[in-house]
Amino acid sequence: LVNAEARKVKARTCICTVCRNYSVRLHTCLHCVFFGCQSPDNHMIQHIQNTGHILAVELNYGTVYCSKCSDYIYDSDIDQLCKQVELQIVHKQHCVSRQPAAYVAWEPSQAEIDLLRQNPKRRKLEPGSSVGLRGLYNLGNTCFMNCILQALVHTPVLRDYFLSDSHKCYSDAIQSQCVVCELGNLFQQFYSGLAIPHVPFKFLHLVWMHARHLAGYEQQDAHEFFISAIDVLHHHCGGQTPTVTHPGHCTCIIDQIFAGRLQSDVTCQSCGGISTTVDPFRDISLDLAPHSVINRTSTPVETPDIQIDNGSPASSTNSGETLVASVPSTLYECLERFTQPENLGSESKIRCVKCRSYRESTKRLTVKKLPIVICFHLKRFEHSMRSRKISNFIQFPTELDMTSYMARSSSSSDNRYSLFAVVNHSGSLHNGHYTCYIRPQQDQWFKCDDHWITKALPEHVLASEGYLLFYHKKVLEYN
């Protein structure tokens, strides 16, 4: 590596050696005194190809680029060295111990109070403001992560929690390995006022560490990433695992926002006895596949097999009953299908407590407790004998009322929700791209396509295909 004198030269000349311009993604060579930008000509890559040098460092975030791998690499020794340097800088600037400081709630000093009174003007979200809008670089098939991060950052209650410095780190490891701390850092980055795209490499690395099945640069499912990220955040918040007797009673901020409870009522068809169980949920998956329903005619008729709209045959019986494949077309129809009673059949008999024997029964799901933010997962990827993507258009509203799908024992009085984020998938089952729409303010929608942020109209949002739908409760109820 370069000597001490060369490092001094580098510190004084942090501009591209070729074009003499400052770049957002400026790199420095670890073998000589050279700075290269990622302009259309990519002067850093040209330097590596001409000299045969191998390693370069991206100056904003300290990531190491390897020309042999043609990719950014992670090295534990370099990471440890960076942590040591950071601690040394903190020690010199603040003269404090290198051990992480205990959490102390912030209270303004008299000098700060005087300063606030002298400057009463505050930053606030004016109509048309771009505060909080920031793109995310794609780190190699990470569009699925970028969409989920955009949805989380623009979740109102979660935003208020982190921007008010309410997080207290419960991680057993050092704070640099806490996913919740890194999510808090993302909120700081988004609301810092910077417009340049952010590189979420650290959040990706931490998720890889705690959810190994997501590690690697293969395209992942956005819904699976959302569930895994929420679960990791829950555990790093000091969340408790729900039990049978106390389902969904965790008090961590993640479960306070995203966790609800589903009630399952199993009714015996012989005696009418009802067995009820309550289970926690963090999202609701809605089936889009055709379901067969019986269409009864007044007189028996014989009709040849015909094709219906979705390509599935409709078969007829001698009694005049025709099996028709029903396909939902709206979110309300999906919810009605989700909460309608299901006949478990003779092969899935359940032991009835009253009858003291196994009986045929029906099962119905309803919502016992609604979360503050509810995520609907439209099951567009079908993995069965014929794997495919279901691209049917599902109409969804901007304002949703969940009253019709609540359990009778529910105590919730206001069940209205507003749409604030939509994740979309374009492409096929095995290859595609994720984008999302977010609503940072009332009636202001933006499309997030990795590092590109563009304005969108409400009709564009409602006309999109829809894969994950995020709704926020309009009225918060406090116990």
Side-chain angles (χ1 to χ4, degrees), residues 102-108 164-166 168:
Y103 174 80
V104 178
W106 176 79
E107 293 185 4
S164 62
D165 197 22
S166 300
K168 180 179 178 181

Side-chain angles (χ1 to χ4, degrees), residues 192-428:
S192 64
L194 294 176
I196 59 175
H198 180 65
V199 185
F201 73 96
K202 190 171 182 180
F203 190 90
L204 177 65
H205 171 64
L206 290 175
V207 171
W208 283 358
M209 288 178 59
H210 301 286
R212 300 276 182 184
H213 64 287
L214 295 175
Y217 288 100
E218 295 82 9
Q219 177 68 275
Q220 302 288 348
D221 179 58
H223 173 250
E224 184 178 1
F225 182 85
F226 170 71
I227 294 300
S228 299
I230 289 295
D231 188 60
V232 172
L233 289 167
H234 160 74
H235 288 292
H236 278 226
C237 277
Q240 301 173 353
T241 303
T243 62
V244 176
T245 55
H246 295 87
H249 278 253
C250 177
T251 57
C252 77
I253 185 61
I254 298 300
D255 275 11
Q256 285 187 53
I257 295 176
F258 295 98
R261 280 177 271 172
L262 283 178
Q263 178 172 309
S264 173
D265 296 319
V266 178
T267 305
C268 176
Q269 292 187 348
S270 297
C271 68
I274 300 176
S275 174
T276 299
T277 57
V278 178
D279 297 304
F281 74 91
R282 293 192 182 121
D283 75 311
I284 294 180
S285 294
L286 301 174
D287 192 13
L288 303 183
H291 280 194
S292 296
V293 296
I294 298 178
N295 182 22
R296 293 181 174 85
T297 57
S298 58
T299 57
V301 293
E302 293 186 5
T303 58
D305 289 349
I306 59 175
Q307 292 293 117
I308 60 176
D309 292 341
N310 63 356
S312 301
S315 59
S316 59
T317 64
N318 293 332
S319 62
E321 295 179 347
T322 304
L323 294 179
V324 180
S326 172
V327 181
S329 60
T330 67
L331 178 61
Y332 285 111
E333 291 179 3
C334 292
L335 288 170
E336 289 172 4
R337 175 190 284 193
F338 180 78
T339 55
Q340 71 181 4
E342 175 189 3
N343 194 336
L344 299 180
S346 58
E347 296 181 357
S348 301
K349 292 183 179 180
I350 295 178
R351 182 175 176 81
C352 177
V353 177
K354 292 184 178 180
C355 298
R356 296 184 179 180
S357 61
Y358 288 91
R359 301 289 189 182
E360 291 190 25
S361 56
T362 59
K363 177 181 178 181
R364 188 188 182 195
L365 292 175
T366 50
V367 182
K368 172 74 172 179
K369 177 183 178 296
L370 285 167
I372 296 176
V373 171
I374 188 168
C375 172
F376 294 110
H377 166 224
L378 303 182
K379 297 169 68 175
R380 295 195 175 276
F381 302 117
E382 188 177 58
H383 300 281
S384 58
M385 295 180 62
R386 185 184 64 168
S387 297
R388 64 187 179 115
K389 179 186 175 183
I390 302 175
S391 299
N392 298 347
F393 175 70
I394 302 296
Q395 183 180 0
F396 51 90
T398 56
E399 305 293 329
L400 176 68
D401 191 344
M402 290 289 293
T403 303
S404 301
Y405 317 106
M406 301 297 296
R408 292 182 179 180
S409 58
S410 173
S411 60
S412 178
S413 59
D414 196 317
N415 307 310
R416 295 173 300 157
Y417 282 80
S418 291
L419 183 71
F420 73 93
V422 178
V423 175
N424 290 300
H425 178 271
S426 59
S428 62

Side-chain angles (χ1 to χ4, degrees), residues 107-125:
E107 293 185 4
S109 63
Q110 186 59 46
E112 291 170 331
I113 294 175
D114 295 338
L115 185 62
L116 290 172
R117 288 174 176 171
Q118 293 173 9
N119 299 274
K121 188 175 182 180
R122 305 285 184 268
R123 170 177 284 185
K124 60 181 180 179
L125 294 179

